[in-house]
Amino acid sequence: MPTRERKEQHAARLVEYVTKYKKCFIVGADNVGSKQFGAIRADLRDGAGNKDAHAVIYMGKNTLIRRTLKLMGTPEATALIPLVKQNMGFIFTNGDLPAIRDILNSHQVGAPAKAGQVTEKQIKAPAGPTGQPPDKTAFFQALNIPTKINRGQIEITMDYVVCDPGDKVGASQAALLGMLDIRPFSYGLKILNIVDNGEIFDPAVLDITDDLLMGKFSVGVREVAALSFGADYPTYASVPHSIIRGFQDLCSIAFACEGYTFEMADTVQDMIDNPDKYGGGGGGGGGGGGGGDAAADEPEEEPEEEAAEVDMSGGDMFGGDDY
C-alpha cells in the first residue's frame, strides 16, 4: 500500500475515534513489547469481560496526529494537540475509566534495573539472607551495606536504601539489585493524562471515589453548620440545629412553669415518664409499681441465695408499700 494512502487511513481512523468517543487516556508507551501490547489490545477490545471497559488503542506518528487534529479544528481535537509528544498514544472509550485503568495496571511487567535509569520510587534492599557466598563481602562493603556471614552466605543486617525517588541507578546499584533478584521497575502503558469532553485531568482523579467525596462533603457541611450556629447566622446547614435548640428551650420552659405547656412538650414529658410506651428501656420494675428511683437503689449484683428468699407476696420486691 502506498505511504500516502496508508497515512490517509490512519488520519481517517483518528478522526473517527475523536468524533465517536468522548473520553480518552493519553498513555506513554516506553519499553512496551509487542506481545504485551497485543495482550492489552485484546483485553480492551472486549473489556476483559466487562462491557463498560471497552476501549480502542490508537498509536501513530506525532506529526501525523498533530496535523490531523489541527485540520479537524474542533474544541475536542484542539485540546489534544499539546498532549501529543514523545512516545505516546491514545486509548479512546465511552466506558468506565477506572475499569480501563485497572486493565492497564494488570498488564504491568516487572523488569530489572539498568544503569542510568531514573527511579520513581524508593528502592530498598531488604534485610535478610542474600544467597551470595562470603567472597562477595567486599562488594557489599564498597556500597556501605551492613552485612554478616550466616550459614555460609551473606546476610544484610538491616534494610538498605539503594535509590531514592528521582535518583539515577548506578552500575554498582544495578549489579546489587540483580544479585538480589529485585525487579524494581515495571513496564506497561502509563497513564499520563485523562481527557473527558475536552477537559484535561490528572490521572489521580481516578482515585477519588464516591465515598471519599461524601466524606469530604459531610466534613464541610459540619464545619459550615458549626460556624453559622456559633455566629448566630442562619444558613441551610445550621437552621435545622437552630430549630432543635429552640424546641429544647421551649420544652425546658414548659417543664419549669406549671401553668404553661404545649402539645409537643406534653409528648416529650410523656416519653420521659413512660419510656416503655415508646420502646425505651424504662427504669421501673417490680410487682408493686416500683418507680425509677427504686430501681436506681437496686444493687448491681446480688447473691442468688438471697435473691431466691425475697418475699414477693406483699408490696414490691424492695419491701416498700408507699410506691
Side-chain angles (χ1 to χ4, degrees):
M1 181 184 296
T3 302
R4 182 178 181 83
E5 185 177 346
R6 187 170 61 252
K7 288 182 178 180
E8 289 177 352
Q9 288 185 357
H10 274 284
R13 191 152 56 93
L14 178 58
V15 171
E16 177 189 354
Y17 290 159
V18 173
T19 305
K20 179 179 178 181
Y21 297 101
K22 302 301 181 184
K23 296 179 281 189
C24 75
F25 287 116
I26 309 298
V27 295
D30 291 337
N31 303 305
V32 180
S34 58
K35 184 177 180 181
Q36 183 182 2
F37 215 100
I40 295 173
R41 282 186 184 274
D43 276 354
L44 291 179
R45 190 179 300 118
D46 63 3
N50 182 0
K51 63 181 180 179
D52 293 329
H54 168 74
V56 294
I57 299 178
Y58 180 88
M59 306 291 294
K61 291 187 176 181
N62 291 356
T63 52
L64 175 62
I65 294 174
R66 291 194 196 96
R67 180 175 180 274
T68 303
L69 295 174
K70 187 175 181 180
L71 290 175
M72 288 183 64
T74 62
E76 293 79 9
T78 303
L80 298 176
I81 294 177
L83 305 177
V84 182
K85 53 187 176 182
Q86 300 179 345
N87 188 18
M88 55 77 63
F90 296 100
I91 297 180
F92 292 97
T93 184
N94 283 326
D96 185 23
L97 293 178
I100 297 172
R101 185 268 313 270
D102 293 340
I103 292 176
L104 297 180
N105 289 341
S106 68
H107 287 279
Q108 298 290 322
V109 176
K114 296 180 181 179
Q117 287 181 301
V118 178
T119 64
E120 296 182 355
K121 60 182 180 180
Q122 189 179 73
I123 303 174
K124 288 184 177 182
T130 64
Q132 300 299 314
D135 59 4
K136 297 286 187 181
T137 301
F139 176 80
F140 288 88
Q141 289 178 345
L143 294 175
N144 296 321
I145 301 176
T147 60
K148 66 179 182 180
I149 305 300
N150 186 19
R151 297 184 179 181
Q153 64 175 320
I154 298 174
E155 179 177 319
I156 298 176
T157 57
M158 59 184 298
D159 290 348
Y160 173 76
V161 177
V162 180
C163 294
D164 286 316
D167 292 347
K168 280 189 177 182
V169 179
S172 298
Q173 295 166 326
L176 170 66
L177 295 172
M179 284 182 182
L180 302 179
D181 195 26
I182 296 175
R183 303 166 71 88
F185 292 91
S186 60
Y187 296 132
L189 292 181
K190 180 182 179 181
I191 300 175
L192 304 176
N193 298 101
I194 300 170
V195 181
D196 189 348
N197 289 308
E199 299 291 334
I200 302 172
F201 303 97
D202 188 89
V205 301
L206 295 182
D207 298 326
I208 301 176
T209 62
D210 291 342
D211 292 338
L212 179 61
L213 288 175
M214 288 302 298
K216 296 290 186 181
F217 180 77
S218 299
V219 170
V221 170
R222 287 198 297 269
E223 291 179 351
V224 170
L227 178 61
S228 302
F229 193 74
D232 198 21
Y233 183 84
T235 63
Y236 283 112
S238 67
V239 163
H241 301 280
S242 299
I243 293 175
I244 293 173
R245 175 63 62 86
F247 176 73
Q248 291 173 341
D249 292 342
L250 290 174
C251 288
S252 299
I253 295 173
F255 297 158
C257 301
E258 296 183 359
Y260 174 79
T261 187
F262 57 96
E263 183 178 354
M264 291 300 297
D266 293 340
T267 303
V268 173
Q269 185 65 56
D270 190 46
M271 290 180 179
I272 296 173
D273 296 338
N274 304 289
D276 292 339
K277 179 179 177 181
Y278 298 92
D293 294 338
D297 295 334
E298 181 183 1
E300 293 183 1
E301 295 183 3
E302 190 174 16
E304 294 185 2
E305 295 81 1
E306 295 179 11
E309 296 176 0
V310 174
D311 184 9
M312 301 293 291
S313 59
D316 64 12
M317 64 183 295
F318 298 98
D321 295 330
D322 298 332
Y323 292 99

